Coordinates of all heavy atoms in Angstrom, one line a residue:
M69 N 81.5 100.0 95.0 CA 82.3 100.9 95.9 C 83.6 100.3 96.1 O 83.8 99.1 96.1 CB 81.5 101.1 97.2 CG 82.1 102.2 98.0 SD 81.1 102.7 99.4 CE 81.7 101.7 100.7
L70 N 84.6 101.1 96.3 CA 86.0 100.6 96.6 C 86.1 99.9 97.9 O 85.3 100.3 98.9 CB 86.9 101.8 96.6 CG 87.2 102.6 95.3 CD1 88.0 103.8 95.6 CD2 87.7 101.7 94.2
S71 N 87.0 98.9 98.0 CA 87.2 98.3 99.3 C 88.1 99.2 100.1 O 88.8 100.1 99.6 CB 87.9 96.9 99.1 OG 89.2 97.1 98.6
C72 N 88.2 98.9 101.4 CA 89.1 99.7 102.3 C 90.6 99.5 101.8 O 91.4 100.4 101.9 CB 89.0 99.2 103.7 SG 87.4 99.7 104.5
K73 N 90.9 98.3 101.3 CA 92.3 98.1 100.8 C 92.6 99.0 99.6 O 93.6 99.6 99.5 CB 92.5 96.6 100.5 CG 93.9 96.2 100.1 CD 93.9 94.7 99.8 CE 95.3 94.2 99.6 NZ 96.1 94.9 98.5
E74 N 91.6 99.0 98.7 CA 91.8 99.9 97.5 C 91.9 101.3 97.9 O 92.7 102.1 97.3 CB 90.6 99.7 96.5 CG 90.6 98.3 95.9 CD 89.3 98.0 95.1 OE1 88.2 98.4 95.6 OE2 89.4 97.4 94.1
V75 N 91.1 101.7 98.9 CA 91.2 103.1 99.3 C 92.5 103.4 100.0 O 93.1 104.5 99.7 CB 90.0 103.4 100.3 CG1 90.2 104.7 101.0 CG2 88.7 103.4 99.6
S76 N 93.0 102.5 100.8 CA 94.3 102.8 101.4 C 95.4 102.9 100.4 O 96.3 103.8 100.5 CB 94.7 101.7 102.4 OG 94.9 100.5 101.8
E77 N 95.3 102.1 99.3 CA 96.3 102.3 98.2 C 96.2 103.6 97.5 O 97.1 104.3 97.1 CB 96.2 101.1 97.2 CG 96.6 99.8 97.8 CD 96.2 98.5 97.0 OE1 95.6 98.7 96.0 OE2 96.6 97.4 97.4
L78 N 94.9 104.0 97.2 CA 94.7 105.3 96.5 C 95.1 106.4 97.4 O 95.7 107.4 96.9 CB 93.2 105.4 96.2 CG 92.7 105.0 94.9 CD1 91.2 105.3 94.7 CD2 93.5 105.5 93.7
V79 N 94.9 106.4 98.7 CA 95.3 107.5 99.6 C 96.8 107.6 99.5 O 97.3 108.7 99.4 CB 94.8 107.2 101.0 CG1 95.5 108.1 102.0 CG2 93.3 107.4 101.1
S80 N 97.5 106.5 99.5 CA 99.0 106.5 99.5 C 99.4 107.1 98.1 O 100.3 107.9 98.1 CB 99.6 105.1 99.6 OG 99.3 104.6 100.9
E81 N 98.8 106.6 97.0 CA 99.1 107.1 95.7 C 98.9 108.6 95.6 O 99.6 109.3 94.9 CB 98.3 106.4 94.6 CG 98.8 105.0 94.3 CD 97.9 104.4 93.3 OE1 97.5 105.0 92.3 OE2 97.6 103.2 93.4
S82 N 97.8 109.1 96.3 CA 97.5 110.5 96.1 C 98.6 111.4 96.7 O 98.6 112.6 96.4 CB 96.1 110.8 96.8 OG 96.3 110.8 98.2
L83 N 99.5 110.9 97.5 CA 100.5 111.7 98.1 C 101.6 111.9 97.0 O 102.4 112.8 97.1 CB 101.2 111.0 99.3 CG 100.2 110.8 100.5 CD1 100.9 110.0 101.6 CD2 99.7 112.2 101.0
D84 N 101.7 111.0 96.0 CA 102.8 111.0 95.0 C 102.3 111.5 93.7 O 103.2 111.9 92.9 CB 103.4 109.7 94.9 CG 104.0 109.2 96.2 OD1 104.6 110.0 96.9 OD2 103.9 108.0 96.5
R85 N 101.0 111.4 93.4 CA 100.6 111.8 92.0 C 99.1 112.3 92.1 O 98.4 112.0 93.1 CB 100.7 110.7 91.0 CG 99.7 109.5 91.3 CD 99.7 108.5 90.2 NE 98.8 107.4 90.5 CZ 97.5 107.4 90.2 NH1 97.0 108.5 89.6 NH2 96.7 106.4 90.5
R86 N 98.7 113.0 91.1 CA 97.3 113.4 91.0 C 96.4 112.3 90.6 O 96.7 111.5 89.7 CB 97.1 114.5 90.0 CG 97.5 115.9 90.4 CD 97.3 116.9 89.3 NE 97.4 118.2 89.9 CZ 96.4 119.0 90.2 NH1 95.2 118.5 89.9 NH2 96.5 120.2 90.7
L87 N 95.3 112.1 91.4 CA 94.4 111.1 91.0 C 93.5 111.5 89.9 O 93.3 112.8 89.7 CB 93.5 110.7 92.2 CG 94.3 110.2 93.5 CD1 93.3 109.9 94.6 CD2 95.1 108.9 93.2
T88 N 92.9 110.6 89.2 CA 91.9 111.0 88.1 C 90.6 111.4 88.9 O 90.4 111.2 90.0 CB 91.6 109.8 87.2 OG1 90.9 108.8 88.0 CG2 92.8 109.2 86.6
L89 N 89.8 112.1 88.1 CA 88.5 112.6 88.7 C 87.7 111.4 89.2 O 87.1 111.5 90.3 CB 87.8 113.4 87.6 CG 86.4 114.0 88.1 CD1 86.7 114.9 89.3 CD2 85.8 114.8 87.0
R90 N 87.7 110.4 88.4 CA 86.9 109.2 88.8 C 87.5 108.6 90.1 O 86.7 108.2 91.0 CB 87.0 108.1 87.7 CG 86.2 106.9 87.9 CD 86.4 105.9 86.8 NE 85.4 104.8 86.9 CZ 84.3 104.7 86.3 NH1 84.0 105.7 85.4 NH2 83.5 103.7 86.4
Q91 N 88.8 108.5 90.2 CA 89.4 108.0 91.4 C 89.1 108.9 92.6 O 88.8 108.4 93.7 CB 90.9 107.9 91.3 CG 91.4 106.8 90.4 CD 92.9 106.8 90.1 OE1 93.5 107.9 89.9 NE2 93.5 105.6 90.1
K92 N 89.1 110.2 92.4 CA 88.8 111.1 93.5 C 87.4 110.9 94.0 O 87.1 110.9 95.2 CB 89.0 112.6 93.1 CG 90.4 113.0 93.0 CD 90.5 114.5 92.6 CE 91.8 114.9 92.1 NZ 91.8 116.2 91.5
L93 N 86.5 110.8 93.0 CA 85.0 110.6 93.4 C 84.8 109.4 94.2 O 84.2 109.3 95.2 CB 84.2 110.7 92.1 CG 84.0 112.0 91.5 CD1 83.3 111.9 90.1 CD2 83.3 113.0 92.4
N94 N 85.4 108.3 93.7 CA 85.3 107.0 94.4 C 85.9 107.0 95.8 O 85.3 106.5 96.7 CB 86.0 105.9 93.6 CG 85.2 105.4 92.3 OD1 83.9 105.6 92.4 ND2 85.8 105.0 91.3
L95 N 87.0 107.7 95.8 CA 87.7 107.8 97.1 C 86.8 108.6 98.1 O 86.6 108.2 99.3 CB 89.1 108.6 96.9 CG 90.0 108.8 98.1 CD1 90.4 107.4 98.7 CD2 91.2 109.6 97.7
W96 N 86.3 109.8 97.7 CA 85.5 110.6 98.6 C 84.2 110.0 99.0 O 83.7 110.1 100.1 CB 85.3 112.0 98.0 CG 86.6 112.8 98.0 CD1 87.4 113.1 96.9 CD2 87.3 113.3 99.2 NE1 88.5 113.8 97.4 CE2 88.5 113.9 98.7 CE3 87.1 113.2 100.5 CZ2 89.4 114.4 99.6 CZ3 88.0 113.7 101.4 CH2 89.1 114.3 100.9
M97 N 83.6 109.2 98.0 CA 82.4 108.5 98.4 C 82.7 107.5 99.5 O 81.9 107.3 100.5 CB 81.8 107.7 97.2 CG 81.0 108.6 96.3 SD 80.4 107.8 94.8 CE 80.3 106.1 95.2
H98 N 83.8 106.8 99.4 CA 84.1 105.8 100.4 C 84.4 106.5 101.8 O 84.0 106.1 102.8 CB 85.3 104.9 100.0 CG 85.7 103.8 100.9 ND1 85.3 102.5 100.7 CD2 86.4 103.9 102.1 CE1 85.7 101.8 101.7 NE2 86.4 102.6 102.6
L99 N 85.2 107.6 101.7 CA 85.6 108.3 102.9 C 84.4 108.9 103.6 O 84.4 109.0 104.9 CB 86.6 109.4 102.6 CG 88.0 108.9 102.1 CD1 88.9 110.1 101.7 CD2 88.7 108.1 103.2
A100 N 83.4 109.2 102.9 CA 82.2 109.8 103.5 C 81.5 108.8 104.4 O 80.7 109.2 105.3 CB 81.2 110.3 102.4
M101 N 81.7 107.5 104.1 CA 81.0 106.4 104.8 C 81.9 105.6 105.7 O 81.4 104.8 106.5 CB 80.3 105.5 103.8 CG 79.2 106.2 103.1 SD 78.3 105.1 102.0 CE 79.4 105.1 100.6
C102 N 83.2 105.8 105.6 CA 84.1 104.8 106.4 C 85.0 105.6 107.3 O 85.9 106.3 106.8 CB 84.9 104.0 105.4 SG 86.0 102.8 106.2
K103 N 84.8 105.5 108.6 CA 85.6 106.2 109.6 C 87.0 105.7 109.6 O 87.9 106.5 109.9 CB 84.9 106.1 111.0 CG 83.7 107.0 111.1 CD 83.2 106.9 112.5 CE 81.9 107.8 112.7 NZ 81.3 107.7 114.0
L104 N 87.2 104.4 109.5 CA 88.6 103.9 109.5 C 89.5 104.4 108.4 O 90.6 104.8 108.7 CB 88.5 102.3 109.5 CG 88.0 101.6 110.7 CD1 87.9 100.1 110.4 CD2 88.9 101.9 111.9
C105 N 88.9 104.5 107.2 CA 89.7 105.0 106.1 C 90.0 106.5 106.2 O 91.0 107.0 105.9 CB 89.1 104.7 104.8 SG 89.3 102.9 104.3
T106 N 89.0 107.2 106.8 CA 89.1 108.6 107.0 C 90.2 108.9 108.0 O 91.1 109.7 107.8 CB 87.8 109.2 107.5 OG1 86.8 109.0 106.6 CG2 87.9 110.7 107.8
R107 N 90.3 108.0 109.1 CA 91.3 108.1 110.1 C 92.7 107.8 109.5 O 93.7 108.5 109.7 CB 91.0 107.2 111.2 CG 92.0 107.2 112.3 CD 92.0 108.6 113.0 NE 93.2 108.8 113.8 CZ 93.1 108.9 115.1 NH1 92.0 109.0 115.7 NH2 94.2 109.1 115.8
F108 N 92.7 106.7 108.6 CA 94.0 106.3 108.0 C 94.5 107.5 107.1 O 95.7 107.8 107.2 CB 93.7 105.1 107.1 CG 94.9 104.7 106.3 CD1 96.0 104.1 106.8 CD2 94.9 105.0 104.9 CE1 97.1 103.8 106.0 CE2 96.0 104.7 104.1 CZ 97.1 104.1 104.7
R109 N 93.6 108.1 106.3 CA 94.0 109.2 105.5 C 94.6 110.3 106.3 O 95.6 110.9 105.9 CB 92.8 109.6 104.6 CG 93.2 110.8 103.7 CD 92.0 111.2 102.8 NE 92.4 112.3 102.0 CZ 92.5 113.6 102.4 NH1 92.1 113.9 103.7 NH2 92.9 114.6 101.6
K110 N 93.9 110.7 107.4 CA 94.3 111.8 108.2 C 95.7 111.5 108.7 O 96.6 112.3 108.7 CB 93.4 112.0 109.4 CG 93.6 113.2 110.2 CD 92.6 113.3 111.3 CE 93.1 114.2 112.4 NZ 92.4 114.0 113.7
D111 N 95.9 110.3 109.2 CA 97.2 109.9 109.8 C 98.4 109.9 108.7 O 99.5 110.4 109.0 CB 97.2 108.5 110.4 CG 96.4 108.5 111.7 OD1 96.0 109.6 112.2 OD2 96.0 107.4 112.2
I112 N 98.1 109.3 107.5 CA 99.1 109.2 106.5 C 99.5 110.6 106.0 O 100.6 110.9 105.7 CB 98.7 108.2 105.4 CG1 100.0 107.7 104.7 CG2 97.8 108.8 104.4 CD1 99.8 106.5 103.9
V113 N 98.5 111.5 105.8 CA 98.7 112.8 105.4 C 99.6 113.6 106.4 O 100.5 114.3 106.0 CB 97.4 113.6 105.1 CG1 97.6 115.1 104.9 CG2 96.7 113.0 103.8
Y114 N 99.3 113.4 107.7 CA 100.1 114.0 108.7 C 101.5 113.5 108.7 O 102.5 114.2 108.8 CB 99.5 113.7 110.1 CG 100.3 114.2 111.3 CD1 100.3 115.6 111.6 CD2 101.1 113.3 112.0 CE1 101.1 116.0 112.6 CE2 101.8 113.8 113.1 CZ 101.8 115.1 113.4 OH 102.6 115.6 114.4
L115 N 101.7 112.1 108.6 CA 103.0 111.6 108.5 C 103.8 112.1 107.3 O 105.0 112.4 107.4 CB 103.0 110.0 108.4 CG 102.8 109.3 109.7 CD1 102.6 107.8 109.4 CD2 104.0 109.5 110.6
D116 N 103.1 112.2 106.2 CA 103.8 112.7 105.0 C 104.3 114.1 105.2 O 105.4 114.5 104.8 CB 102.8 112.6 103.8 CG 103.5 113.0 102.5 OD1 104.4 112.3 102.0 OD2 103.0 114.1 101.9
S117 N 103.4 114.9 105.8 CA 103.8 116.3 105.9 C 105.0 116.5 106.9 O 105.9 117.3 106.8 CB 102.6 117.2 106.4 OG 102.3 116.9 107.7
Q118 N 104.9 115.6 108.0 CA 106.0 115.7 109.0 C 107.3 115.2 108.4 O 108.4 115.8 108.6 CB 105.7 114.8 110.2 CG 104.5 115.3 111.0 CD 104.8 116.8 111.5 OE1 105.7 117.0 112.3 NE2 104.0 117.7 111.1
T119 N 107.3 114.2 107.5 CA 108.5 113.7 106.9 C 109.0 114.7 105.9 O 110.2 115.0 105.9 CB 108.1 112.4 106.1 OG1 107.6 111.5 107.0 CG2 109.4 111.8 105.4
R120 N 108.1 115.4 105.2 CA 108.6 116.4 104.2 C 109.2 117.6 105.0 O 110.2 118.2 104.6 CB 107.4 116.9 103.4 CG 107.0 115.9 102.3 CD 105.8 116.4 101.5 NE 105.2 115.3 100.8 CZ 105.6 114.9 99.6 NH1 106.6 115.5 99.0 NH2 105.0 113.8 99.0
T121 N 108.6 117.9 106.1 CA 109.2 119.0 107.0 C 110.6 118.6 107.5 O 111.5 119.4 107.4 CB 108.3 119.3 108.2 OG1 107.0 119.7 107.7 CG2 108.8 120.4 109.1
L122 N 110.7 117.4 107.9 CA 112.0 116.9 108.4 C 113.1 116.9 107.3 O 114.2 117.4 107.5 CB 111.9 115.5 109.0 CG 113.2 114.8 109.5 CD1 113.7 115.6 110.7 CD2 112.9 113.4 109.9
I123 N 112.7 116.5 106.1 CA 113.6 116.4 105.0 C 114.1 117.9 104.7 O 115.2 118.1 104.4 CB 113.0 115.7 103.8 CG1 112.9 114.2 104.1 CG2 113.8 116.0 102.5 CD1 112.1 113.5 103.1
H124 N 113.1 118.8 104.7 CA 113.4 120.2 104.4 C 114.2 120.8 105.4 O 115.2 121.6 105.1 CB 112.0 120.9 104.2 CG 112.2 122.4 103.9 ND1 112.6 122.8 102.7 CD2 112.1 123.5 104.7 CE1 112.7 124.1 102.7 NE2 112.4 124.6 103.9
E125 N 113.9 120.6 106.7 CA 114.6 121.3 107.8 C 116.0 120.7 108.2 O 116.9 121.4 108.7 CB 113.7 121.4 109.0 CG 112.5 122.3 108.8 CD 111.6 122.3 110.1 OE1 111.9 121.6 111.0 OE2 110.7 123.1 110.0
A126 N 116.1 119.4 108.0 CA 117.3 118.7 108.4 C 117.6 117.6 107.4 O 117.5 116.4 107.7 CB 117.2 118.1 109.8
P127 N 117.9 117.9 106.1 CA 118.1 116.9 105.1 C 119.2 115.9 105.4 O 119.2 114.8 105.0 CB 118.5 117.8 103.8 CG 118.8 119.1 104.3 CD 118.1 119.3 105.6
G128 N 120.2 116.4 106.2 CA 121.3 115.5 106.5 C 120.9 114.3 107.4 O 121.5 113.2 107.3
V129 N 119.9 114.5 108.2 CA 119.5 113.4 109.1 C 119.0 112.2 108.3 O 119.3 111.1 108.7 CB 118.3 113.9 110.0 CG1 117.6 112.8 110.7 CG2 118.8 115.0 111.0
M130 N 118.3 112.5 107.2 CA 117.8 111.4 106.4 C 118.9 110.6 105.7 O 118.7 109.5 105.2 CB 116.8 111.9 105.4 CG 115.6 112.6 106.0 SD 114.7 111.7 107.2 CE 113.7 110.7 106.0
M131 N 120.0 111.2 105.5 CA 121.1 110.6 104.7 C 122.3 110.2 105.7 O 123.2 109.6 105.2 CB 121.7 111.6 103.7 CG 120.6 112.1 102.8 SD 119.9 110.9 101.7 CE 121.2 110.8 100.5
D132 N 122.2 110.5 107.0 CA 123.3 110.2 107.9 C 123.4 108.7 108.1 O 122.5 108.1 108.6 CB 123.0 110.9 109.2 CG 124.2 110.9 110.1 OD1 125.1 110.0 109.9 OD2 124.3 111.7 111.0
P133 N 124.6 108.1 107.7 CA 124.7 106.7 107.9 C 124.8 106.2 109.3 O 124.6 105.1 109.6 CB 126.1 106.4 107.1 CG 126.8 107.7 107.1 CD 125.7 108.7 107.1
K134 N 125.0 107.2 110.2 CA 125.1 106.8 111.7 C 123.7 106.7 112.2 O 123.5 106.1 113.3 CB 125.8 107.9 112.5 CG 127.3 108.0 112.1 CD 128.1 108.9 113.0 CE 127.7 110.3 112.9 NZ 128.0 111.1 111.7
V135 N 122.7 107.3 111.5 CA 121.3 107.2 112.0 C 120.8 105.9 111.4 O 120.7 105.7 110.2 CB 120.4 108.3 111.5 CG1 119.0 108.1 111.9 CG2 121.0 109.6 112.0
E136 N 120.4 104.9 112.3 CA 120.1 103.6 111.9 C 118.9 103.0 112.7 O 118.8 103.4 113.9 CB 121.3 102.7 112.0 CG 121.1 101.3 111.5 CD 122.4 100.5 111.5 OE1 123.3 100.7 110.7 OE2 122.6 99.7 112.5
L137 N 118.1 102.2 112.1 CA 117.0 101.6 112.8 C 117.5 100.6 113.8 O 118.6 99.9 113.5 CB 116.0 100.9 111.8 CG 115.2 101.7 110.9 CD1 114.5 100.9 109.9 CD2 114.2 102.5 111.7
S138 N 116.8 100.3 114.9 CA 117.2 99.3 115.8 C 116.9 97.9 115.1 O 116.1 97.9 114.2 CB 116.4 99.4 117.1 OG 115.1 99.1 116.8
S139 N 117.6 96.9 115.6 CA 117.4 95.6 115.0 C 115.9 95.1 115.2 O 115.3 94.5 114.4 CB 118.3 94.5 115.6 OG 118.2 94.4 117.0
E140 N 115.3 95.6 116.4 CA 113.9 95.2 116.6 C 113.0 95.9 115.5 O 112.1 95.2 115.0 CB 113.4 95.7 118.0 CG 114.1 95.0 119.2 CD 115.4 95.6 119.6 OE1 115.8 96.7 119.1 OE2 116.2 95.0 120.3
A141 N 113.3 97.1 115.2 CA 112.5 97.8 114.2 C 112.7 97.2 112.8 O 111.7 97.0 112.1 CB 112.9 99.3 114.1
K142 N 113.9 96.8 112.5 CA 114.1 96.1 111.2 C 113.4 94.8 111.2 O 112.8 94.4 110.1 CB 115.6 95.8 111.0 CG 116.4 97.1 110.8 CD 117.9 96.7 110.6 CE 118.8 98.0 110.4 NZ 120.2 97.7 110.5
T143 N 113.4 94.0 112.3 CA 112.7 92.7 112.3 C 111.2 93.0 112.2 O 110.5 92.3 111.4 CB 113.0 92.0 113.7 OG1 114.4 91.9 113.8 CG2 112.3 90.7 113.7
R144 N 110.7 94.0 112.9 CA 109.2 94.3 112.8 C 108.8 94.7 111.4 O 107.8 94.2 110.9 CB 109.0 95.5 113.8 CG 107.6 95.5 114.3 CD 107.4 96.5 115.5 NE 108.0 97.8 115.3 CZ 109.0 98.3 116.1 NH1 109.5 97.6 117.1 NH2 109.5 99.5 115.8
I145 N 109.6 95.5 110.7 CA 109.3 95.9 109.3 C 109.4 94.7 108.4 O 108.5 94.5 107.6 CB 110.3 97.0 108.9 CG1 110.0 98.3 109.7 CG2 110.1 97.3 107.4 CD1 111.0 99.4 109.5
A146 N 110.4 93.9 108.5 CA 110.5 92.7 107.7 C 109.3 91.8 107.9 O 108.8 91.2 106.9 CB 111.8 92.0 108.0
R147 N 108.8 91.6 109.1 CA 107.7 90.8 109.4 C 106.4 91.3 108.7 O 105.7 90.6 108.1 CB 107.5 90.7 110.9 CG 106.6 89.5 111.3 CD 106.3 89.4 112.8 NE 107.6 89.5 113.6 CZ 107.7 90.4 114.6 NH1 106.7 91.1 115.0 NH2 108.9 90.4 115.3
K148 N 106.2 92.7 108.8 CA 105.1 93.3 108.2 C 105.1 93.2 106.7 O 104.1 92.9 106.1 CB 105.0 94.8 108.6 CG 104.6 95.0 110.0 CD 103.1 94.8 110.1 CE 102.6 95.1 111.6 NZ 101.3 94.6 111.8
L149 N 106.3 93.3 106.1 CA 106.4 93.2 104.6 C 106.1 91.8 104.2 O 105.4 91.5 103.2 CB 107.8 93.6 104.2 CG 108.1 95.1 104.2 CD1 109.6 95.3 103.9 CD2 107.2 95.9 103.3
T150 N 106.5 90.8 105.0 CA 106.2 89.4 104.7 C 104.7 89.1 104.8 O 104.2 88.4 104.0 CB 107.0 88.5 105.6 OG1 108.4 88.8 105.6 CG2 106.8 87.0 105.2
E151 N 104.1 89.7 105.8 CA 102.6 89.5 106.0 C 101.8 90.0 104.8 O 100.8 89.5 104.5 CB 102.2 90.2 107.3 CG 102.6 89.5 108.6 CD 102.3 90.4 109.8 OE1 101.6 91.4 109.6 OE2 102.7 90.0 110.9
R152 N 102.3 91.0 104.2 CA 101.5 91.7 103.1 C 101.5 90.8 101.9 O 100.6 90.9 101.0 CB 102.1 93.0 102.7 CG 101.8 94.1 103.7 CD 102.3 95.4 103.3 NE 101.5 95.8 102.1 CZ 101.6 97.0 101.5 NH1 102.5 97.8 101.9 NH2 100.8 97.3 100.5
N153 N 102.5 89.9 101.7 CA 102.6 89.1 100.5 C 102.0 87.7 100.6 O 101.4 87.3 101.6 CB 104.0 89.0 100.0 CG 104.6 90.3 99.6 OD1 103.9 91.2 99.1 ND2 105.8 90.6 99.9
Ligands
LIG310 ZN1 87.2 102.0 104.4

């Protein structure tokens, strides 16, 4: 069975490309038994749909150079990226 880490990667990939039948079966078998990954999938699908809606409704916002992350947010993201490696 897939690990939760593998499932989180597959869930992310599924937003950008079609999974193979085998990947889908493995994913759904894990999701049927793991509440955390089911919750993660629900959250990431929601975030993806909201982002796509924002890009569609206000494309300029995503490209506006005046819209910028706070330095705290940048530090937080950099820390998370470092933790992953
Ligand atoms: Zn899991």
Side-chain angles (χ1 to χ4, degrees):
M69 191 166 96
L70 295 175
S71 68
C72 291
K73 185 177 188 304
E74 290 169 321
V75 167
S76 68
E77 290 168 359
L78 268 185
V79 166
S80 296
E81 285 180 38
S82 73
L83 299 174
D84 298 323
R85 68 171 179 87
R86 279 180 166 261
L87 300 179
T88 65
L89 183 58
R90 185 185 189 95
Q91 287 174 318
K92 283 183 199 171
L93 288 173
N94 286 331
L95 183 61
W96 288 111
M97 273 176 30
H98 185 101
L99 291 176
M101 292 183 279
C102 182
K103 286 184 179 175
L104 288 176
C105 286
T106 301
R107 180 63 194 244
F108 172 75
R109 181 180 177 277
K110 186 179 165 201
D111 289 348
I112 202 167
V113 166
Y114 175 76
L115 276 175
D116 184 65
S117 72
Q118 292 302 299
T119 304
R120 288 177 195 276
T121 301
L122 179 63
I123 290 170
H124 179 73
E125 291 179 357
V129 169
M130 302 302 282
M131 304 295 277
D132 190 340
K134 293 189 294 292
V135 177
E136 184 173 283
L137 290 173
S138 66
S139 60
E140 292 85 15
K142 288 177 184 173
T143 304
R144 209 167 46 241
I145 291 168
R147 195 180 315 128
K148 286 285 180 192
L149 288 173
T150 306
E151 284 172 9
R152 287 186 66 177
N153 296 322

